[in-house]
């Protein structure tokens, strides 16, 4: 049974039923994906820290910050495509969903290749700008260059996971995150230590294992999309959708760029903070790197709920069910406070025990990490509030206001606090700057949600694309996949594409 070309078995309808239950069922697989990714990073950090030393762990901390910065480029683009796909699924428009994923892939893959090439060449300069400790510089360069080499596969894998969630499918990304993590967990110690017939590659082995795991998982995910007949599968003439549709591309750029800039603002502020932390010495940098591993478990709850709120709100907006959107936000906030609060309490209670896994129980960095935990981790309650609010607002294409909020909270607030109070508080000012920025983000985000004009926004270019798609279907009649609908002249992005074949 189909709904305007979208098989019901290939999508999860987020516009019906209990909001609380739907959010939990959607968010749990997303949370599981994040938990696996975080666990994988943590286990890799344990291997690196315990067998390669604190310098290697500091090197991965510097490399991971830069990787986060690069993933920010695809985050905004991917979120824009997720919203467009979600709204298309909500209005039961399979053609728009396929043209959206085609445009996204046709744009991201070439861009990621340019990033990989440029990053390889500029890696030494980037590490110098970070003020990477000299003892960790060579290791960081090796690690970072491998990350850049894997960038096309990593970004494409991320894009497909986000697009699938836009269709309401959060389980497929979970299964292939299981595949990726499983491969990585096996390969990392093998390639770090040179077990069996494999070479002893040290920190390069850690990065190579992750790159290989993401590539194999991407191949499996793409195969599954086609085997299941997902709405995202492009077949035959639909492959022309990889040539970017101008209308959809404009929408992705206009809405995705501010969302990507939000991540870049966060990343650049984090890079500045890391340069300050690096000045405190390699032990403090290692303690911060270990603490970051713990923070990922707190962040992932907020990000999973934000993704659920965004996907649910997008489908309900597409379906015109505005009465459900406010309730989606309220449930997101309730779940955030309950779940994030629980994890914050657990990490605070067992901080030294967990930090010792990364640093060793006798490391002088453990008490530094415990101090960071006490002063900073509670701020993630407010981080979660802001992410749920932003998730709902961006579902309707409202992205400029949240970007302004992030700029203010990251720079005048967080960095201003760190620089301003450092003479008085010393290193504690660096750690307290994190919750200061998060509280400011939550307060300003709440103001935007309550008084902003986000409800009046819209993904205008996408709506124009949908109208064009509807007009084409009206001309084509009721036939969903007739081969004689193919145009006799070469298709161009600015022209009306043919009706796609049924998935």
């Amino acid at each position: 049974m189909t709904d305007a070309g979208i098989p019901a078995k290939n999508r999860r309808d987020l516009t019906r039923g209990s909001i609380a239950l739907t959010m939990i069922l959607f968010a749990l697989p997303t949370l599981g994906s994040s938990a696996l990714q975080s666990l994988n990073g943590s286990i890799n950090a344990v291997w690196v820290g315990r067998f390669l030393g604190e310098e290697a762990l500091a090197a991965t901390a510097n490399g991971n910050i830069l990787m986060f910065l690069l993933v920010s480029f695809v985050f905004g683009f991917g979120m824009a495509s997720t919203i467009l796909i979600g709204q298309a699924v909500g209005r039961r428009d399979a053609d728009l969903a396929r043209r959206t994923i085609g445009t996204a892939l046709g744009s991201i893959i070439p861009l990621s290749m340019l990033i990989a090439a440029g990053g390889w060449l500029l890696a030494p300069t980037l590490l110098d700008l970070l003020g990477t400790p000299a003892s960790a510089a060579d290791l960081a360069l090796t690690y970072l260059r491998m990350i850049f080499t894997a960038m096309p596969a990593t970004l494409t894998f991320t894009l497909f996971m986000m697009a699938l969630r836009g269709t309401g499918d959060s389980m497929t990304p979970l299964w292939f995150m299981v595949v990726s993590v499983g491969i990585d967990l096996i390969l990392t110690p093998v390639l770090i230590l040179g077990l069996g017939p494999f070479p002893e590659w040290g920190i390069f082995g850690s990065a190579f294992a992750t790159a290989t795991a993401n590539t194999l998982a991407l191949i499996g995910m793409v195969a599954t999309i086609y085997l299941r007949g997902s709405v995202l599968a492009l077949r035959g003439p639909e492959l022309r959708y990889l040539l970017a549709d101008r209308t959809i591309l404009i929408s992705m750029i206009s809405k995705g760029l501010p969302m990507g800039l939000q991540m870049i603002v966060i990343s650049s502020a984090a890079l500045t903070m890391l340069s300050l932390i690096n000045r405190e010495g390699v032990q403090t940098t290692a303690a911060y790197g270990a603490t970051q591993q713990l923070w990922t478990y707190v962040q992932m709850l907020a990000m999973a709920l934000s993704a659920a709120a965004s996907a649910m709100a997008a489908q309900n907006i597409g379906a015109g069910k505005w009465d459900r959107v406010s309730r989606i936000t309220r449930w997101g906030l309730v779940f955030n406070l309950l779940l994030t609060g629980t994890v914050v309490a657990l990490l605070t209670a067992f901080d030294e025990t967990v930090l010792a896994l990364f640093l060793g129980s006798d490391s002088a960095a453990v008490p530094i990490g415990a101090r960071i935990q006490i002063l900073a981790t509670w701020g993630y309650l407010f981080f979660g509030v802001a992410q749920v609010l932003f998730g709902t607002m961006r579902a309707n294409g409202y992205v400029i206001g949240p970007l302004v909020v992030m700029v203010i909270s990251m720079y005048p607030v967080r960095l201003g606090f760190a620089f301003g109070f450092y003479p008085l508080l010393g290193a504690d000012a660096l750690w307290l700057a994190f919750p200061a920025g998060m509280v400011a983000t939550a307060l300003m985000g709440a103001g935007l949600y309550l008084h902003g004009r986000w409800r009046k926004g819209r993904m205008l270019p996408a709506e124009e694309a949908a109208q064009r798609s509807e007009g084409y279907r009206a001309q084509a009649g009721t036939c969903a996949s007739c081969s004689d609908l193919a145009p006799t002249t070469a298709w161009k992005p600015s022209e009306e594409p043919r009706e796609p074949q049924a998935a």
Side-chain angles (χ1 to χ4, degrees), residues 3 11-20 22-23 26 85-92 166-168 308-325 327-328:
D3 226 348
R11 59 179 171 82
R12 178 177 180 82
D13 194 338
L14 306 179
T15 66
R16 302 174 185 175
S18 166
I19 289 175
T22 300
M23 177 170 283
F26 185 88
I85 290 169
Q87 291 195 5
V89 170
R91 65 168 64 98
R92 311 301 190 250
T167 69
S310 188
M312 291 177 68
Q315 282 199 19
N316 281 275
I317 290 169
K321 297 184 177 182
W322 278 94
D323 58 305
R324 290 171 59 89
V325 175
R327 287 184 285 153
I328 289 169

Side-chain angles (χ1 to χ4, degrees), residues 113-190:
M113 291 179 177
L114 290 175
I115 292 173
W120 176 279
L121 296 173
L122 297 175
T125 303
L126 293 173
L127 292 172
D128 286 342
L129 291 175
L130 274 182
T132 305
S135 59
D138 289 342
L139 292 171
L141 180 61
T142 300
Y143 183 81
L144 187 58
R145 278 185 162 164
M146 187 61 238
I147 285 177
F148 276 118
T149 301
M151 196 54 59
T154 299
L155 295 186
T156 305
F157 184 46
T158 301
L159 177 63
F160 266 119
M161 288 196 296
M162 297 173 77
L164 282 166
R165 289 173 185 139
T167 69
D169 179 6
S170 57
M171 283 301 300
T172 300
L174 171 61
W175 290 124
F176 283 98
M177 183 56 68
V178 171
V179 171
S180 177
V181 168
I183 294 171
D184 199 8
L185 289 178
I186 294 171
L187 283 182
T188 295
V190 168

Side-chain angles (χ1 to χ4, degrees), residues 272-479:
T272 304
M273 290 294 295
L274 183 59
S275 68
L276 297 177
I277 293 167
N278 282 336
R279 297 176 185 177
E280 301 293 317
V282 70
Q283 287 186 340
T284 299
T285 302
Y288 176 65
T291 302
Q292 279 187 307
Q293 293 295 325
L294 302 185
W295 284 351
T296 58
Y297 292 96
V298 188
Q299 293 180 53
M300 67 185 180
L301 292 164
M303 299 307 292
L305 290 169
S306 178
S310 188
M312 291 177 68
Q315 282 199 19
N316 281 275
I317 290 169
K321 297 184 177 182
W322 278 94
D323 58 305
R324 290 171 59 89
V325 175
S326 295
R327 287 184 285 153
I328 289 169
T329 308
R330 286 197 295 271
W331 274 110
L333 294 174
V334 169
F335 287 136
N336 167 70
L337 293 175
L338 290 174
L339 297 175
T340 304
T342 299
V343 174
V344 167
L346 289 173
L347 288 180
T348 302
F350 300 102
D351 52 359
E352 292 194 8
T353 301
V354 180
L355 287 166
L357 293 175
F358 304 104
L359 301 166
S361 58
D362 297 330
S363 173
V366 170
I368 299 174
R371 181 70 173 176
I372 298 171
Q373 282 283 100
I374 291 293
L375 294 178
T377 306
W378 60 271
Y380 280 97
L381 284 169
F382 295 89
F383 173 84
V385 168
Q387 290 306 309
V388 170
L389 296 176
F390 289 166
T392 299
M393 290 188 283
R394 70 172 174 247
N396 203 36
Y398 187 77
V399 292
I400 299 298
L403 173 60
V404 173
V405 166
M406 293 306 302
V407 170
I408 294 172
S409 61
M410 291 295 103
Y411 286 97
V413 179
R414 177 186 288 184
L415 294 180
F417 190 102
F419 280 104
F421 284 91
Y422 188 86
L424 179 64
L425 301 176
D428 284 353
L430 304 180
W431 320 133
L432 289 171
F434 287 98
M438 295 173 192
V439 171
T441 304
L443 292 176
M444 289 184 285
L448 279 182
Y449 180 81
L450 294 173
H451 305 294
R453 297 175 59 85
W454 67 271
R455 294 172 183 83
K456 297 181 180 179
R458 58 184 182 144
M459 302 289 287
L460 178 60
E463 292 175 3
E464 292 174 353
Q467 291 168 4
R468 292 189 338 178
S469 185
E470 289 167 4
Y472 185 81
R473 277 194 294 271
Q475 294 175 11
T478 58
C479 179

Side-chain angles (χ1 to χ4, degrees), residues 66-76 151 154-155 158 263:
L66 287 169
M67 183 178 179
F68 181 77
L69 176 63
L70 292 170
V71 171
S72 299
F73 284 100
V74 78
F75 175 84
M151 196 54 59
T154 299
L155 295 186
T158 301
M263 302 299 291

